[in-house]
Amino acid sequence: MATACSSESEGSAPSAPTTQAPAAQPTEAVEAPTPPPTDAAVPGAADPENGEQADSGDPPGPNRQELTDTFAELVLGDELVTTFMTRQEIMCLAEEAFAVFTDERLDELDLNPESFAEAYRQPGLFVFGDWFDISDREAFDLENLSLGCVDWRNFVVQVLVSEGEPIDRAQCIASQISVDGLRAVVRDAMVVDTGEGFGQAQDEVASALTSCYLNASPETVS
């Protein structure tokens, strides 16, 4: 991801230090307006199209539990992702992601352990929307839960460091990304892969890279 970011720097960056991702800190999120409620024929019934679930108190169905287990197994076994996210963050995503959907909606989307595993092994990170016809509301809910599970500023730092940016500059860049920019990073990782590194936040990252490079002391410029 974000191959366009590191190419902006002049000269070649020194070998990036190995960094340990800090414990997960939920990324700050701007509350987006809640979509208007959908009229339901039965009070409290789930609206599959909008990704809403009935508050029945029932435990997750077997398909959702198997999906959670499959998600955790695939992602924790992916060395690339575990470079960018902690185990705690990955487990949070695994446990929460499929709560966006009712069991009936999962069946409608043909979202099951086998189809998810096939989609995950394709290029991209998670990008549910690239492989399943999820609704705008479901995409919005996926973004929200992801913002609560993962420290996305640290995610950006780890991606940039893996591509050769010095840790100080990577932290500078991440600190300048807006909350809307972080939501765009989440969308690119979890909903639709734009192929532009950090998605719609790519311009923010490039601008921050320039700013952090120009404002760095001579000792830190590579």
Side-chain angles (χ1 to χ4, degrees), residues 135-153:
S135 68
D136 290 342
R137 176 56 186 266
E138 288 162 347
F140 176 79
D141 288 345
L142 277 171
E143 291 170 15
N144 271 354
L145 76 86
S146 301
L147 285 165
C149 280
V150 177
D151 180 353
W152 289 94
R153 290 195 193 279

Side-chain angles (χ1 to χ4, degrees), residues 70-88:
T70 299
F71 187 113
E73 179 182 357
L74 287 170
V75 181
L76 289 172
D78 189 331
E79 185 176 349
L80 178 64
V81 180
T82 54
T83 300
F84 305 148
M85 294 182 184
T86 67
R87 178 183 178 86
Q88 178 182 350

